[in-house]
Amino acid sequence: MRSLVLIGHGSHLNSESASAVFRYAELLRERGLYDEVIEGYWKEEPALRQVLRTTASTDVTVIPMFISEGYFTETVIPRELGLGHQGPVPPEGVARVLGGRTVRYTLPFGVHPGMADVILARAREVLPDAAPEDTALIVLGHGTTRNENSHKVIYSNADRLRESGLFAEVHALFLDEDPRVGTWPDLVRSRRVVVVPFFASEGWHTLETIPEDMGLRGEVTEFPDNPHGPQTVFYARPVGTHPAVANVVLSLAEEARSAGGRDGDVDRTHDAAWQAMMALARRGGRIGEVLLTPHSGVYELRHALDEGMGGAELQTVVTPEGLRDVTRRDAAGEHRPVRTYRTLPRGWRAVLSEAELRRGVHFLYPAVVEESYAHSCHSLRHTPWPTTARRQTGIYTRVQRATHDQVERVARTVCSPCLRTRLWAGEKLPRTFLDGVPGAFPCAEACTYFVAEVRETLISKRPTTAS
Ligand code: SF4
């Protein structure tokens, strides 16, 4: 048995931020090469601190879904996963045994040599007959003076594609460092120019900054008066959203495993947690705001306040992904980065098979089953606020200066809509939803949303609404 974990950044504000990682997880699940494919996030749930606990096997490969090496892949993710590694990740990855699981952590997908093929695939989408006689390729990166790694990957892909001989010229250009994208009319001589953004997703840069800096007006733009004569620019979509990235992810995962090792076993604690959950499901009951009812081999989930409503009055979803998508936003359409907030929208029902129920509940309340079970076994370790604060780096370092009173004031605002009980602050939770108390979920450690709110409070010195 083996598990694949994809790590994305996620967002406290934008529910679309995690979409690319969702899509890759779905593509990889369809391939069926791993017993499970799970997503984890820095700014959403399951959080990096929780995600390993949610894997069903003792053999776990973790892929950072990032376009280049840098602060997140070298500092934040290894630290939050508890890998005991900081700094550049070696080409063979980092392997550790954590809590009985063998965990392999790889380089981010963006630095894999297979990304040159993805660039090529994107270029061919906009210009299928690109030819070495008259076509230039621009591989366009963000670049930054603070992270030299982010440009290394652009140069190495440009070199690889130059060597392929498929283009008359290949250039590496950047938004934030030299050579800058705005200089392209002076640098590029070919009549036809394909621009491929080496970005993880579609967003502000690919939709606005790059077209603006290059003077583009859509997928194809004519430039009749350029210094080297008339030129046509073909603007491709970002590499990070191409389906072929799934192949790159699988290659990375297989290379990490080829260093040795055999398939893992079922993780016994995880299995026991889900046995307890299934016992609740089979007799029917509540989990958080959701009513779970068994119906001859399938399970129906709906908002508890929708109890008694006819099926025709509710939107019916029949997959775990469908359940995820109807519960990602609240009734007002706002993103729900903390999935245990009492903001679950109403008006839907999910009908899932027993095989799908685990993934459905995982999407609904990530890590809650595993953490509640661990709490009832007295094995859920709490991390007090000072320890969480000391671990923060980068822009979050300042939360170490928050006083106890400031932290508590933030908690009165941020944690009050949350179903979780703050064990990290000394609150008590004698029973959990597994013991029949629907809204009783443990919170072992302040979430990243809470940490971000503490930082905001310190920056703005704003009073919290609770103060
Ligand atoms: Fe909920 Fe507060 Fe825990 Fe975050 S820190 S999960 S808001 S209880």
Side-chain angles (χ1 to χ4, degrees):
M1 186 174 195
R2 49 192 195 151
S3 306
L4 183 64
V5 177
L6 307 184
I7 300 291
H9 188 284
S11 165
H12 293 152
L13 302 172
N14 176 6
S15 64
E16 287 311 307
S17 171
S19 299
V21 178
F22 285 163
R23 254 196 320 276
Y24 290 125
E26 283 162 28
L27 278 173
L28 292 165
R29 265 180 219 121
E30 282 165 17
R31 306 257 182 115
L33 296 171
Y34 282 77
D35 295 281
E36 62 177 4
V37 181
I38 285 181
E39 305 106 279
Y41 300 95
W42 172 227
K43 293 209 165 184
E44 293 185 40
E45 294 175 315
L48 301 178
R49 301 289 286 181
Q50 303 166 318
V51 71
L52 292 178
R53 194 188 281 278
T54 69
T55 58
S57 88
T58 58
D59 180 285
V60 183
T61 305
V62 181
I63 314 272
M65 297 300 288
F66 286 72
I67 206 82
S68 64
E69 296 162 273
Y71 174 60
F72 282 106
T73 63
E74 296 177 353
T75 303
V76 176
I77 301 173
R79 181 192 75 207
E80 297 296 302
L81 292 178
L83 290 179
H85 173 92
Q86 289 284 275
V89 174
E92 68 278 13
V94 174
R96 296 281 187 274
V97 176
L98 300 172
R101 291 175 171 88
T102 300
V103 179
R104 298 181 193 82
Y105 178 68
T106 73
L107 287 163
F109 76 86
V111 305
H112 192 275
M115 287 305 288
D117 293 335
V118 182
I119 296 173
L120 209 48
R122 276 292 188 227
R124 287 194 170 128
E125 282 174 353
V126 286
L127 187 59
D129 65 340
E133 307 83 55
D134 68 352
T135 310
L137 172 69
I138 295 177
V139 184
L140 182 50
H142 189 285
T144 165
T145 47
R146 287 190 332 194
N147 175 12
E148 73 176 62
N149 287 328
S150 82
H151 69 212
K152 259 183 7 197
V153 66
I154 307 297
Y155 282 120
S156 62
N157 277 304
D159 290 346
R160 234 173 249 133
L161 289 160
R162 198 172 293 120
E163 282 161 21
S164 75
L166 293 168
F167 297 92
E169 45 187 323
V170 177
H171 298 271
L173 298 181
F174 301 92
L175 277 180
D176 263 12
E177 66 182 64
D178 293 334
R180 289 187 194 251
V181 64
T183 62
W184 77 270
D186 297 321
L187 290 173
V188 183
R189 294 170 172 273
S190 301
R191 191 173 58 83
R192 303 191 297 172
V193 184
V194 184
V195 180
V196 180
F198 201 81
F199 281 68
S201 59
E202 202 79 84
W204 182 55
H205 285 312
T206 59
L207 296 173
E208 292 186 35
T209 323
I210 297 170
E212 204 175 295
D213 288 2
M214 293 191 72
L216 306 181
R217 293 176 298 280
E219 190 176 293
V220 182
T221 310
E222 303 286 347
F223 291 87
D225 304 318
N226 272 0
H228 299 296
Q231 289 176 304
T232 307
V233 172
F234 300 82
Y235 184 45
R237 297 183 55 211
V239 289
T241 55
H242 195 285
V245 167
N247 299 335
V248 173
V249 169
L250 282 178
S251 300
L252 258 176
E254 290 309 304
E255 286 160 18
R257 296 186 84 254
S258 67
R262 49 179 189 87
D263 280 6
D265 301 312
V266 170
D267 183 84
R268 275 187 280 170
T269 309
H270 184 273
D271 189 47
W274 281 91
Q275 300 277 0
M277 171 66 211
M278 288 312 300
L280 182 153
R282 287 189 193 106
R283 61 178 184 268
R286 287 267 309 273
I287 166 168
E289 294 183 279
V290 170
L291 184 65
L292 178 52
T293 314
H295 286 294
S296 48
V298 295
Y299 296 88
E300 194 217 57
L301 301 93
R302 59 169 70 189
H303 197 295
L305 296 177
D306 289 337
E307 184 173 14
M309 285 178 73
E313 297 172 78
L314 302 170
Q315 178 191 353
T316 300
V317 294
V318 294
T319 60
E321 287 74 18
L323 173 59
R324 176 195 68 202
D325 292 341
V326 293
T327 56
R328 276 165 72 189
R329 297 182 185 82
D330 64 17
E334 296 293 327
H335 180 39
R336 299 177 65 236
V338 182
R339 306 303 294 268
T340 45
Y341 263 20
R342 289 185 206 86
T343 54
L344 198 68
R346 295 178 56 184
W348 53 271
R349 67 195 271 266
V351 181
L352 302 178
S353 67
E354 182 158 331
E356 293 166 329
L357 185 62
R358 180 164 84 82
R359 208 143 43 83
V361 173
H362 173 78
F363 283 139
L364 193 60
Y365 290 127
V368 155
V369 171
E370 294 86 352
E371 292 189 338
S372 296
Y373 183 77
H375 178 64
S376 58
C377 298
H378 309 286
S379 61
L380 184 66
R381 202 141 42 102
H382 317 159
T383 307
W385 169 257
T387 309
T388 302
R390 266 198 307 276
R391 213 178 60 234
Q392 304 305 312
T393 51
I395 61 169
Y396 294 103
T397 310
R398 71 166 64 216
V399 303
Q400 294 167 11
R401 299 208 298 265
T403 64
H404 175 77
D405 285 353
Q406 284 171 318
V407 171
E408 283 306 303
R409 274 204 299 276
V410 172
R412 282 200 287 279
T413 307
V414 171
C415 300
S416 60
C418 188
L419 288 162
R420 290 184 184 263
T421 297
R422 289 187 305 135
L423 305 179
W424 58 266
E427 293 176 1
K428 300 286 179 230
L429 184 68
R431 296 193 297 160
T432 73
F433 81 96
L434 292 170
D435 311 304
V437 185
F441 299 160
C443 178
E445 175 170 336
C447 64
T448 61
Y449 185 67
F450 185 90
V451 174
E453 285 298 303
V454 171
R455 175 178 174 270
E456 282 299 313
T457 303
L458 293 175
I459 288 174
S460 61
K461 295 259 189 310
R462 71 182 185 201
T464 61
T465 51
S467 64

